[in-house]
Amino acid sequence: MIRVLLADDEAMIRAGVKAILAADPEIDVVAEAGDGREAVDLTLAHRPQVALLDIRMPRLDGLAAAAEIHRVAPETAVVMLTTFGEDDYIARALGEGASGFLLKSGDPRELITGVRAVAGGAAYLSPRVAHRVISELRDGRMTRGAAARTRTDALTDRERDVLALVGAGLSNAEIAKRLFLVEGTVKSYVSAILTRLGVRNRVQAAIIAYEAGLVASEQ
């Protein structure tokens, strides 16, 4: 079962999201929070695999809660769930260690797909968010590409192979199958890559892979 914590200050929204997730028999909402502080406390109490956080919540907003959860419970993947799609929210969410970003106005099936993806060790952005991020990267890719290539040049050939597949959105299990490795070895490679690149999560690593041209060459 994929254990999920759901945090939103609107009870009706929580009920709707919970009903959508209930359509998947392998997803279990183990706790619900009405604000960010409660979300952090319940994460520590229940240790879910995925925390779905609204951005605008009382006491502690979703972005601050994401940063705190990343610090105290790094094994819990954070997905931001919001009605807001502005660039600053996206950038801040990813910067605080979020592994996914979903819009409440998106297709309900994205919710299940996103939860499954991050629970499996991958990153997930809703298509609308992904388009916005990729467009921004494309606009400035020539400048950032050189810097990204300098960073990835410090990786071994195998680490670059793994990073390219992380950038393509594959989970650890999928990468292991593609490269004929055991999943534990891939997990070790990913941890080493994050450390050597100086990034906090797979989304940030995937952006570097894209900027460095690794994803394009892999595709």
Side-chain angles (χ1 to χ4, degrees):
M1 295 292 292
I2 299 173
R3 295 164 54 81
V4 175
L5 173 139
L6 173 60
D8 195 298
D9 60 330
E10 297 186 38
M12 188 173 294
I13 296 295
R14 293 202 308 272
V17 172
K18 186 175 182 179
I20 292 170
L21 294 177
D24 189 322
E26 295 184 358
I27 296 177
D28 182 23
V29 177
V30 297
E32 297 181 46
D35 60 65
R37 175 51 56 195
E38 187 180 14
V40 175
D41 293 341
L42 290 176
T43 295
L44 288 171
H46 294 274
R47 300 290 176 172
Q49 292 163 270
V50 178
L52 277 173
L53 307 180
D54 184 28
I55 283 186
R56 292 191 173 181
M57 292 188 291
R59 291 215 293 167
L60 194 67
D61 68 29
L63 296 171
E68 184 70 5
I69 289 172
H70 184 74
R71 184 180 69 83
V72 301
E75 71 280 4
T76 295
V78 173
V79 176
M80 307 308 301
L81 181 63
T82 181
T83 55
F84 304 95
E86 291 85 356
D87 292 344
D88 60 335
Y89 284 115
I90 298 171
R92 288 177 60 196
L94 301 182
E96 296 298 353
S99 296
F101 199 107
L102 295 168
L103 300 180
K104 292 178 182 177
S105 57
D107 188 324
R109 290 172 295 184
E110 290 178 18
L111 188 60
I112 292 175
T113 301
V115 167
R116 281 188 161 277
V118 299
Y124 187 85
L125 300 177
S126 75
R128 285 170 58 190
V129 173
H131 176 75
R132 188 186 298 261
V133 171
I134 290 172
S135 295
E136 180 184 340
L137 290 177
R138 184 179 294 118
D139 291 341
R141 188 173 178 186
M142 291 295 289
T143 301
R144 289 191 291 263
R149 285 191 292 275
T150 297
R151 297 172 76 177
T152 58
D153 282 347
L155 303 178
T156 66
D157 290 342
R158 179 57 87 186
E159 286 171 342
R160 280 194 292 273
D161 290 340
V162 172
L163 177 59
L165 296 175
V166 168
L170 275 65
S171 67
N172 287 349
E174 291 168 331
I175 294 172
K177 184 176 181 180
R178 181 76 65 88
L179 298 180
F180 304 102
L181 299 170
V182 297
E183 189 171 347
T185 300
V186 173
K187 185 176 181 180
S188 296
Y189 272 124
V190 172
S191 295
I193 289 167
L194 297 184
T195 298
R196 297 182 72 177
L197 293 179
V199 297
R200 300 175 64 178
N201 57 48
R202 296 173 75 104
V203 175
Q204 294 170 337
I207 290 173
I208 291 175
Y210 180 86
E211 291 175 340
L214 296 180
V215 178
S217 62
E218 176 64 29
Q219 297 300 322

